[in-house]
Every structure is written in structure tokens, then in C-alpha cells.
């Protein structure tokens, strides 16, 4: 099988169907195809897990010796009917086409034996490091893999010695499937818009370079430096932001800019007043000013998209890493970090869901750093902000507070939504408890947040609610807890 045939075969699989051409090219370059004869063993029960395997043709039978008897746990087949008809109820179709992910995620050994079924079985192997890189590079893979992982966990009751790990991964897989939607969507949108944005930036750079004098270029360089140092706006009022955007765009259009709307939206997103840019561009002449404004607009657009990718990309990597950490909670190293960084990243990732909502930041100055697991706390902030946005249904005020209080850091996320009913409030942190419509919630988001805050960080999380005001209060100790024995 040559590279072209392999590329076509991989693209035809559900798990890789959403990949870009560049991602597919990378996947082909790291693939290790292997042809198995009937009965050839792919991996054995108890062996150290070394790779993730994708089935291209033929079939695999997965067996395990239980109480001295070899039992068939499942069959994977590329053929319609046949082995498929013999399968357990509810098996996802994608589950037939890959195997080996569970022991890799738990950093354990294979828990069964897989052997070829039929004379022409072709599999593609991806070594352990490549598998984890695949999850980070190819974000759509996790969306297919996680439901299959959850199904396999649920149907693995025969693996008694793995039960605790299986249940933990089952909980995490369902929660991650929900949480990955936000950063994955942010990455997809930003990546789609980045190419034309970079083309605009290149074009405006040439035009600005040709139109500007040396002194005028220095003015724009200083302005760009100021923009880099701007703090996030303390309050985001959608109406005030829209007025500022319109006023800046009108000024840019009158000055001759080709893309005044782009400049208006970029400047307003940074919280700039309408007079901020004109005051700093007074030394740019009328001839060069249109080129300066268009180049600045393209620069702000590219920086905004890059910020989204910086915030969402690591979040996906952290969520994937959390799948392994969840199975063995003592392995992830603690870090020193600023809690406001995670809150700000969450606002970037959920920006589309927060459209129309006023955002108020109330961070105390000189907040101390925390010691803990910032990637896991980001899951908490995502859950709480996402729930607040849903409760407000596109209109209201979201307030983020952070302050030191005694020996704790207190983070409050408050919204002006419909509130949580009094009879529901005591149960919101229970696993699988949800008041959302069928298919719109797993009932695991707040439970997972509770575990992260209380078990991982030895803190507390509480909810206070009445119609028109809900506050989620998270308390985290400033000093790490003593190691448990």
C-alpha cells in the first residue's frame, strides 16, 4: 500500500474523516501499516501497551482467559453484517476500526488478546508517543474516540481488576466529550479565519511600507507596542462596545480605510475609546493614514485569532492529559500559577457563547499565585462560565471575582440568569444529575468540578442562588496541602 492509497483509506474512516489535508499528510507520515495472517496476534493480554491500532481491512477477534476459559470479548470487522451482528447492543460503528487506546490512556498493560480473523487483515500502528501527539494535533479524533472509549469502559465488566480505573475513565470520558466542544469549536473557527487574515496582513504590510515615511512607521510601531501592553478591559458592555465600534469605523472610513469595520471591531474588542487611535496617529500624514489604518486592522485581526488559538489549543491538550491523570491522580506535577490567567483563557474560549452578555471583572490587585493543577481548574471555570451563559440566554451580566481571604483564594462566578430552583440546589454536584433537556447535558460537569476542587485542591465549592442572581463560590487554599499517605 503506497502513501496515496493509505491516505485515502485513512480518510475513509470515521475517526479521521474530519482531518485537514495537512493533518492527513502528517498522519500518513507516522503510520506503520502491517498485514496479519489468520490467527496472527496483534497484542497479548498483560503485555505493556505500546501502540494504538487502526483496522483498515479484515477483522480482529479480542479474547481473554477468564477462570481458565478463553472468552471472546468482542470482534472488530470491516465487513457489513457478520461479526457486526454478533456484537453487544449499542456498539458504535467507529469502535470496529480501532483498538488499544484504553491501556495507553491508563498507562497500563493490554487487558485482552487481539488476533487477526481472516486471511487478509491490515492494521496501521501508531506508537504511544504518536498517539498522544495525534490527540493534540488532530482535534476531531478525540470527538470520535471518547464516545467509543466510554462504550468500551461500560462494557468491560469482565475486567474486574481494572474496575476502578474503568469507572473513573468512564466518568471523565463523558465529561470531556462535553467540555471539548468549546475549545475545539474555537480552534476550528480561528483556524478557518486565520489564512485570509494572514493574506490581508501581508497585503497591508506591503501597502503601508510603500506609503509611510520612516517617522510614520515609528509611530505605528509605538502604537503596536502599546497595544501589546494593554490589560483586558475591566467591564465589557455590549452596547457601549457596539457604539465604540461604530464610531471608530466611521472615523476610519472617513480617513479612507478600505476595511473600517474590521478596525472598529478589533479596537472595540480591546476596550479602546473612539479617541484613542486618532490621538496616537496624529503624526501620520493624510496620504499614509488609510494604509496605516488597514494595516492596523489586519494586525488586530491576526492577533485576536492567534490569542484564541493560544487559549484553546492548550486547553485541548490539558483535557487529553487529564484523561491519563484522572486514572492515577498523583502523577501530574503541581505548578505555581495565576488563577486569573485561567479565568481569562476561559472567556476567550467561550467568547461566542458570551456574545450579548456584559462581562465584569473584579480581580483584587496583587493576587498571590496558587499551587495546584491549572489545567484541571480550567475545566472548572469552563463549566461554571458555560452554565452561567446558558442560564442568561444571551443577555445579562457575568461577574468574575477573585480575592485573597485569609489562607484561601476565593473565586466567584456570578450571573443574572434564571437562578437554580431551591429544591434542586442541594443536588447540583451529584453525578449524572441534570435539569437540562435530554441530549443537552451529561450531569457530570458540576460533579467533575466538585472533584477537582475538593479532592485535587482540598478546597470547597458552593452555590448560592435566587431568581436573577446565582453565585458559584470556589475556595482554594493558598498553601498546598500536606502530602497524603
Amino acid at each position: 500500500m503506497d502513501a496515496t492509497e493509505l491516505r485515502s483509506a485513512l480518510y475513509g474512516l470515521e475517526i479521521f474523516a474530519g482531518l485537514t489535508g495537512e493533518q492527513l499528510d502528517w498522519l500518513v507520515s507516522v503510520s506503520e501499516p502491517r498485514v496479519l495472517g489468520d490467527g496472527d496476534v496483534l497484542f497479548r493480554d498483560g503485555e505493556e501497551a505500546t501502540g494504538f491500532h487502526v483496522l483498515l481491512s479484515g477483522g480482529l477477534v479480542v479474547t481473554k482467559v477468564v477462570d481458565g476459559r478463553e472468552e471472546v470479548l468482542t470482534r472488530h470487522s470491516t465487513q457489513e453484517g457478520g461479526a457486526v451482528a454478533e456484537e453487544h447492543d449499542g456498539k458504535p460503528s467507529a469502535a470496529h476500526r480501532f483498538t488499544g487506546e484504553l491501556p495507553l490512556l491508563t498507562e497500563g498493560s493490554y487487558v485482552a488478546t487481539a488476533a487477526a480473523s481472516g486471511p487478509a487483515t491490515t492494521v496501521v500502528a501508531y506508537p504511544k508517543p504518536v498517539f498522544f501527539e495525534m490527540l493534540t494535533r488532530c482535534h476531531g479524533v478525540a470527538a470520535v474516540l471518547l464516545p467509543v472509549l466510554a462504550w468500551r469502559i461500560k462494557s468491560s465488566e469482565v475486567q474486574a481488576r481494572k474496575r476502578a480505573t474503568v469507572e473513573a475513565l468512564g466518568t471523565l470520558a463523558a465529561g470531556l466529550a462535553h467540555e471539548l466542544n468549546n475549545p475545539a469549536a474555537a480552534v476550528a473557527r480561528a483556524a478557518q479565519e486565520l489564512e485570509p487574515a494572514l493574506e490581508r496582513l501581508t497585503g497591508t504590510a506591503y501597502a503601508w511600507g510603500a506609503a509611510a515615511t520612516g517617522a510614520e512607521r515609528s509611530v505605528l510601531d509605538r502604537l503596536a507596542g502599546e497595544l501589546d501592553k494593554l490589560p483586558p478591559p475591566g467591564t465589557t458592555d455590549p452596547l457601549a462596545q457596539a457604539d465604540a465600534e461604530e464610531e471608530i469605523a466611521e472615523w476610519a472610513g472617513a480617513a479612507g480605510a478600505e476595511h473600517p469595520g474590521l478596525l472598529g471591531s478589533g479596537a472595540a474588542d480591546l476596550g479602546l475609546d473612539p479617541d484613542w487611535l486618532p490621538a496616537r496617529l496624529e503624526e501620520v500624514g493624510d496620504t499614509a493614514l488609510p494604509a496605516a489604518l488597514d494595516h492596523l486592522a489586519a494586525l488586530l485581526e491576526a492577533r485576536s485569532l492567534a490569542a484564541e488559538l493560544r487559549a484553546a489549543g492548550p486547553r485541548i491538550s490539558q483535557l487529553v492529559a487529564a484523561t491519563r491523570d484522572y486514572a492515577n491522580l498523583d502523577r501530574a506535577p503541581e505548578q505555581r500559577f495565576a488563577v486569573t490567567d485561567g479565568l481569562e483563557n476561559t472567556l476567550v474560549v467561550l467568547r461566542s457563547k458570551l456574545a450579548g452578555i456584559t462581562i465584569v471583572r473584579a480581580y483584587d490587585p496583587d493576587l498571590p499565585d496558587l499551587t495546584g493543577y491549572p489545567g484541571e481548574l480550567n475545566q472548572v471555570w469552563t463549566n461554571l462560565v458555560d452554565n452561567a451563559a446558558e442560564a442568561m440566554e444571551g443577555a445579562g451580566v457575568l461577574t468574575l471575582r477573585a480575592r485573597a481571604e485569609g489562607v484561601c483564594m476565593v473565586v466567584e462566578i456570578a450571573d443574572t440568569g434564571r437562578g437554580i430552583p431551591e429544591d434542586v440546589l442541594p443536588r447540583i454536584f451529584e453525578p449524572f444529575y441534570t435539569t437540562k433537556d435530554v441530549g443537552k447535558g451529561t450531569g457530570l460537569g458540576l460533579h467533575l468540578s466538585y472533584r477537582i476542587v475538593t479532592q485535587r485542591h482540598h478546597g470547597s465549592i458552593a452555590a448560592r442562588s435566587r431568581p436573577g442572581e446565582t453565585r458559584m463560590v470556589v475556595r482554594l487554599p493558598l498553601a498546598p496541602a500536606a502530602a497524603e499517605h
Side-chain angles (χ1 to χ4, degrees):
M1 178 179 293
D2 61 26
T4 301
E5 293 172 331
L6 178 58
R7 191 180 194 276
S8 176
L10 292 173
Y11 188 65
L13 302 180
E14 181 179 347
I15 191 170
F16 299 136
L19 301 191
T20 65
E22 182 179 353
Q23 290 170 333
L24 274 173
D25 290 339
W26 174 81
L27 192 66
V28 170
S29 72
V30 296
S31 296
E32 298 177 7
R34 178 182 174 189
V35 178
L36 303 175
D38 189 22
D40 286 351
V41 173
L42 181 61
F43 53 76
R44 295 185 184 277
D45 188 7
E47 290 180 349
E48 180 183 355
T50 58
F52 174 64
H53 305 280
V54 175
L55 180 63
L56 292 187
S57 64
L60 294 171
V61 58
V62 182
T63 63
K64 184 176 182 66
V65 176
V66 180
D67 295 331
R69 302 186 309 274
E70 188 174 51
E71 296 184 359
V72 175
L73 301 183
T74 190
R75 298 177 188 273
H76 303 316
S77 175
T78 59
Q79 302 298 317
E80 295 284 337
V84 179
E86 301 173 13
E87 275 305 338
H88 305 288
D89 292 341
K91 180 175 182 178
S93 59
H96 284 279
R97 304 308 290 265
F98 57 85
T99 186
E101 76 287 345
L102 178 58
L104 290 179
L105 290 169
T106 59
E107 298 187 352
S109 303
Y110 292 115
V111 295
T113 298
S117 176
T121 295
T122 302
V123 297
V124 181
Y126 298 97
K128 184 176 180 178
V130 174
F131 171 66
F132 287 116
E133 186 176 358
M134 179 195 303
L135 293 179
T136 302
R137 277 176 172 259
C138 309
H139 307 127
V141 169
V144 177
L145 186 145
L146 284 171
V148 172
L149 176 62
W151 177 86
R152 285 182 176 154
I153 291 169
K154 185 178 177 181
S155 53
S156 294
E157 293 179 355
V158 294
Q159 302 169 27
R161 63 188 177 88
K162 298 290 183 180
R163 185 164 295 164
T165 299
V166 164
E167 290 176 355
L169 281 172
T171 299
L172 184 60
L176 286 176
H178 170 73
E179 292 178 42
L180 276 170
N181 286 338
N182 293 318
V187 167
R189 187 189 67 80
Q192 184 178 11
E193 296 178 6
L194 191 57
E195 183 176 354
L198 291 177
E199 289 179 359
R200 274 191 293 274
L201 182 60
T202 302
T204 60
Y206 281 120
W208 168 239
T213 65
E216 289 171 330
R217 282 193 288 272
S218 296
V219 170
L220 199 61
D221 288 344
R222 286 197 301 271
L223 190 153
E226 282 192 69
L227 291 174
D228 284 338
K229 298 174 183 177
L230 284 177
T235 300
T236 304
D237 183 341
L239 293 178
Q241 184 173 333
D243 290 342
E245 178 178 338
E246 183 178 358
E247 192 169 339
I248 294 169
E250 288 179 356
W251 166 74
E258 290 186 17
H259 303 287
L262 189 63
L263 180 61
S265 62
D269 282 346
L270 294 176
L272 300 183
D273 293 328
D275 296 332
W276 197 91
L277 288 176
R280 285 159 177 78
L281 292 173
E282 288 180 346
E283 297 177 36
V284 177
D286 293 342
T287 302
L289 185 58
L293 297 178
D294 285 328
H295 185 51
L296 183 59
L299 184 63
L300 291 177
E301 179 188 27
R303 288 185 176 184
S304 174
L305 293 172
E308 287 190 37
L309 289 171
R310 281 197 304 270
R315 177 66 62 86
I316 292 173
S317 301
Q318 290 161 353
L319 290 172
V320 170
T323 306
R324 290 171 288 168
D325 299 339
Y326 199 84
N328 192 340
L329 298 181
D330 292 325
R331 290 187 180 177
E334 288 186 319
Q335 300 175 32
R336 293 287 291 174
F337 62 95
V339 71
T340 52
D341 288 347
L343 294 171
E344 289 301 316
N345 284 341
T346 297
L347 294 178
V348 171
V349 170
L350 296 180
R351 187 171 66 176
S352 62
K353 283 196 171 186
L354 297 172
I357 293 173
T358 299
I359 298 171
V360 177
R361 299 168 173 86
Y363 304 150
D364 278 5
D366 302 320
L367 286 171
D369 286 348
L370 285 176
T371 298
Y373 307 91
E376 295 179 21
L377 284 174
N378 285 345
Q379 298 174 49
V380 176
W381 314 140
T382 297
N383 270 318
L384 300 185
V385 173
D386 189 40
N387 287 345
E390 288 189 9
M392 290 185 284
E393 299 179 331
V397 178
L398 174 71
T399 303
L400 306 182
R401 298 184 178 93
R403 65 182 184 274
E405 192 174 273
V407 296
C408 289
M409 173 81 72
V410 180
V411 176
E412 290 189 15
I413 296 177
D415 67 73
T416 56
R418 55 184 176 268
I420 303 171
E422 188 176 350
D423 60 324
V424 170
L425 201 57
R427 300 193 60 193
I428 61 172
F429 297 113
E430 294 179 9
F432 302 106
Y433 185 78
T434 180
T435 58
K436 296 179 182 179
D437 294 337
V438 175
K440 293 189 177 180
T442 63
L444 289 166
L446 286 177
H447 175 65
L448 180 59
S449 298
Y450 179 84
R451 285 177 57 92
I452 291 170
V453 171
T454 61
Q455 297 186 23
R456 290 291 271 161
H457 293 86
H458 307 283
S460 66
I461 179 171
R464 301 167 188 172
S465 186
R466 61 185 181 187
E469 182 187 31
T470 296
R471 285 191 296 153
M472 306 299 294
V473 183
V474 177
R475 294 178 182 273
L476 300 165
L478 292 173
E484 297 178 3
H485 299 282

